[in-house]
Amino acid sequence: MPESGTLVLVAGAGRLPDLVAGSLERAGRAHKVLAVRGFTERTLRARADATVDLLDVGATLAILKAWGPAVVIPAGGVSRPSPAALLNAGAALRNREALRAIAGGGDDRLLRAVLALLEENGHRVLGVHEAAPDLLSPAGTLGRHAPDAEAEASVRAGRALLAALSPFDVGQAAVAAAERILAVEGPEGTDRMLARARALGRKPFGYGRSAPGTVLVKVSKHGQDLRIDLPAVGPRTVRNAAAAGCAGIAVEAGRTLIIDRAATVAEADRAGLFLVGLEGAP
């Protein structure tokens, strides 16, 4: 992490911003928190250094300029605005040209444009994987359970498939059972993919036992900008994987965020699932 510049955590929704703040504090890194109204959780917003409206590009850039040059760490979601996030209609009017320029595409395009806007104004943008590496999956087995030979074969199949699909920007995850791929993640996300895998892997009509060695594999795509799209798993992922009949979860070490690692590992142990961090190429 660079030594120059004020570290600014731009806090969106969910637990991640608070986890990143905790990581920075443990590392002894002084930082400021810029909360996004309607998104940042109340406890973190209460100790934020400033709060901005989602649409107020001008105010955000002015604050960063006053603090800067800033090293900005975006964390947490802003994809589904709450009513509070959109209350300040004046912000939208003040920034309509900037908003029109960055809102002409999907989520990835929007986020890339926001990062480019920050960098054009002299700020450096870091991803969570760079700012808080202790939140990422380590290599090896994380809990009490380890994959057996059938599960390892499923992991290899899932990794090979995702590597082959990587140029097509399809998804980060797949469910595999031996050499059979049950589901590939699409725009719906990992949780809904697991729901599909549950129905497809248990015949007939979603009943019965899943195939032995069924595994959830989650890795980053080739060339993926981890600053805006970092693969992540957490306790909910474990519960949904268990419901889908998975024997375990394999993630990419050093490039996958584990939300609340202790709770995630404990949930995997309780459900009898293995959780492993994968190294190297598939």
Side-chain angles (χ1 to χ4, degrees):
M1 188 185 297
E3 296 297 326
S4 60
T6 302
L7 285 179
V8 179
L9 173 62
V10 179
R15 286 272 294 130
L16 181 56
D18 196 46
L19 294 174
V20 174
S23 175
L24 294 173
E25 289 163 5
R26 289 192 298 273
R29 301 289 304 185
H31 62 281
K32 294 180 180 292
V33 176
L34 182 59
V36 181
R37 199 185 319 277
F39 292 95
T40 309
E41 289 190 350
R42 183 177 301 176
T43 54
L44 185 58
R45 190 172 68 243
R47 56 190 177 92
D49 297 275
T51 301
V52 294
D53 291 285
L54 174 64
L55 303 179
D56 205 338
V57 178
T60 301
L61 291 175
I63 291 169
L64 293 177
K65 182 178 180 180
W67 290 347
V71 179
V72 180
I73 307 164
V78 291
S79 59
R80 294 184 181 181
S82 69
L86 299 176
L87 283 178
N88 190 352
L93 293 174
R94 288 195 301 274
N95 297 284
R96 58 185 179 274
E97 293 302 324
L99 291 169
R100 184 178 297 114
I102 66 177
D107 287 347
D108 278 1
R109 182 174 174 183
L110 173 63
L111 290 171
R112 289 178 191 279
V114 170
L115 298 192
L117 182 63
L118 291 172
E119 291 174 334
E120 287 169 6
N121 281 269
H123 309 296
R124 182 178 177 187
V125 181
L126 292 182
V128 170
H129 64 296
E130 300 167 296
D134 60 311
L135 301 181
L136 304 179
S137 172
T141 302
L142 276 64
R144 293 199 305 261
H145 306 285
D148 58 17
E150 286 180 316
E152 288 177 348
S154 300
V155 170
R156 289 192 295 271
R159 293 188 78 185
L161 172 83
L162 292 172
L165 291 177
S166 185
F168 302 98
D169 195 22
V170 174
Q172 302 172 338
V175 176
E179 296 182 358
R180 181 187 178 200
I181 304 298
L182 299 180
V184 179
E185 182 184 41
E188 82 278 26
T190 303
D191 289 338
R192 290 187 179 180
M193 178 202 66
L194 286 167
R196 284 193 287 111
R198 179 179 183 178
L200 292 170
R202 297 182 176 185
K203 301 293 185 179
F205 308 115
Y207 294 99
R209 297 176 61 86
S210 296
T214 300
V215 172
L216 168 64
V217 182
K218 189 157 189 172
V219 300
S220 61
K221 293 171 282 190
H222 178 70
Q224 182 172 326
D225 190 343
L226 298 180
R227 297 177 303 171
I228 62 173
D229 193 12
L230 184 64
V233 297
R236 184 175 65 184
T237 313
V238 174
R239 290 191 291 271
N240 288 336
C246 291
I249 300 172
V251 300
E252 187 175 9
R255 294 169 70 88
T256 304
L257 176 71
I258 301 184
I259 302 291
D260 288 324
R261 185 189 301 178
T264 301
V265 172
E267 187 70 27
D269 287 344
R270 184 197 63 77
L273 271 63
F274 66 80
L275 178 60
V276 298
L278 305 171
E279 288 187 293

